[in-house]
Amino acid sequence: MKFLDAEFVKGFQRMAFDGWEQGWHERNGGNLTYRVKPEEVEEVKENFEPREWAPIGTSVPKLAGEYFLTTGSGKYMRNIYIKAEETFGMIEVDDKGENYRTVWGLKGARPTSELPSHLMNHEVKKEVTNGRYRVIYHCHPTNTIALTFVLPLSDEVFTRELWEMATECPVVFPDGIGVVPWMVPGGRDIAVATSKLMRKYDVAIWAHHGMFAAGEDFDLTFGLMHTVEKSAEILVKVLSMSDHKAQTITPDDFRHLAKDFHVTLPERFLYEKKSSKIVYDPSEIQ
């Protein structure tokens, strides 16, 4: 089978281009990785042309021997179809989880500069989901980034405010959302901070930068990112009209919702607010 004819490759391309069309990938912003299933590797193995091994920049021993689709460093998501072999490729992780080599694509390119963050998050999600999660997605959604300038950089605040914006939100991301304070992207420190949050959440917001999401497949992961960003857009619009809510979803409303939809919502996100004001300081969290 030709590499680009494989269904998992087509799904990867579609997700990347859908993000471009949402406006989440200005210039070469954002990146996407997918942990390839063994049977999918076999489907396209005849196309491989392995290159030299190179250091990952971190150690991910639980991903030893795994293969990943990854977008390229400095590449534009809008070119995912028209310049496929230059824009993304497949890499293999060595038997120690310390090095990688490109086996297809990435002509004249390297994997995303966020590769350490992606692989550390893949390692965590593989462990905590018993291997179910295979997608890590990073993009720059406008409204979510805007909120990092006006809301406290708190897991509790971001989760609660975004839950209140749309009834489906606590059902789509019942575990909540993590927030990483501003850090230099691409390095080990931000990778470690994000992977710690990914033990608890499927979404991590990078302050003033963007968002990371993890999921089982392309549709679920893209849908999660889309839901969070739509909720953020509603909150931005509410804030543009007033800094107070006339009415909202209450903690007891959330508890009733959780019971009917059979999800568990952590009580730490269901704190009683002192006022209806949206822009508040962390001391208002009880």
Side-chain angles (χ1 to χ4, degrees):
M1 177 185 293
K2 292 183 179 179
F3 193 88
L4 293 174
D5 289 339
E7 286 302 315
F8 74 96
V9 177
K10 291 179 181 178
F12 183 90
Q13 289 176 288
R14 178 187 175 187
M15 182 169 173
F17 194 76
D18 282 351
W20 159 258
E21 291 198 315
Q22 289 292 325
W24 299 344
H25 297 290
E26 75 292 335
R27 200 171 181 270
N28 62 312
N31 27 70
L32 173 64
T33 55
Y34 170 68
R35 185 166 59 87
V36 185
K37 298 175 182 177
E39 61 269 27
E40 293 170 335
V41 174
E42 291 302 317
E43 287 177 6
V44 298
K45 208 165 190 176
E46 64 190 72
N47 301 279
F48 288 178
E49 296 180 357
R51 300 181 201 162
E52 295 295 318
W53 294 100
I56 294 170
T58 189
S59 179
V60 285
K62 293 177 182 176
L63 297 180
E66 295 266 19
Y67 288 80
F68 293 85
L69 286 181
T70 174
T71 48
S73 178
K75 299 304 177 179
Y76 292 35
M77 292 287 195
R78 67 189 296 265
N79 293 332
I80 200 79
Y81 287 117
I82 61 174
K83 297 180 180 179
E85 292 186 56
E86 299 172 23
T87 306
F88 75 101
M90 184 182 283
I91 63 170
E92 176 188 7
V93 176
D94 71 5
D95 58 3
K96 293 182 179 180
E98 296 178 355
N99 300 286
Y100 77 90
R101 64 179 177 181
T102 299
V103 298
W104 184 91
L106 292 172
K107 289 187 175 180
R110 296 177 291 105
T112 169
S113 61
E114 304 285 0
L115 188 64
S117 291
H118 275 258
L119 293 187
M120 289 180 73
N121 283 293
H122 273 291
E123 186 175 51
V124 166
K125 298 312 277 192
K126 179 183 178 182
E127 178 186 356
V128 301
T129 70
N130 197 27
R132 289 186 296 109
Y133 278 38
R134 291 187 171 272
V135 181
I136 299 290
Y137 182 37
H138 169 56
C139 65
H140 302 160
T142 304
N143 296 285
T144 302
I145 295 171
L147 290 178
T148 66
F149 291 91
V150 297
L151 292 182
L153 299 179
S154 154
D155 299 1
E156 289 80 6
V157 171
F158 265 84
T159 296
R160 177 60 176 279
E161 293 299 336
L162 294 178
W163 275 1
E164 287 187 25
M165 293 301 102
T167 300
E168 71 174 330
C169 287
V171 178
V172 175
F173 48 98
D175 294 328
I177 290 176
V179 182
V180 178
W182 188 87
M183 301 175 73
V184 175
R188 178 174 170 77
D189 289 346
I190 197 167
V192 170
T194 309
S195 64
K196 286 180 180 178
L197 290 178
M198 281 291 176
R199 289 195 170 275
K200 300 185 288 183
Y201 311 115
D202 289 343
V203 182
I205 294 171
W206 285 3
H208 323 320
H209 180 152
M211 185 160 41
F212 257 77
E216 295 182 38
D217 58 33
F218 298 123
D219 285 344
L220 287 171
T221 311
F222 188 86
L224 174 60
M225 186 75 76
H226 202 187
T227 302
V228 173
E229 171 60 5
K230 184 173 183 178
S231 182
E233 181 181 3
I234 296 169
L235 182 54
V236 167
K237 289 180 176 180
V238 171
L239 281 164
S240 72
M241 294 183 284
S242 173
D243 64 354
H244 287 75
K245 298 171 189 168
Q247 56 275 321
T248 190
I249 305 171
T250 69
D252 279 342
D253 290 336
F254 284 124
R255 294 183 182 103
H256 293 314
L257 181 74
K259 182 178 179 181
D260 286 353
F261 279 84
H262 308 291
V263 295
T264 300
L265 302 181
E267 281 292 319
R268 66 192 180 94
F269 299 132
L270 303 181
Y271 52 87
E272 293 293 337
K273 296 182 179 179
K274 294 179 180 178
S275 74
S276 61
K277 192 173 183 180
I278 302 173
V279 183
Y280 52 86
D281 62 67
S283 66
E284 293 188 19
I285 305 173
Q286 296 180 347

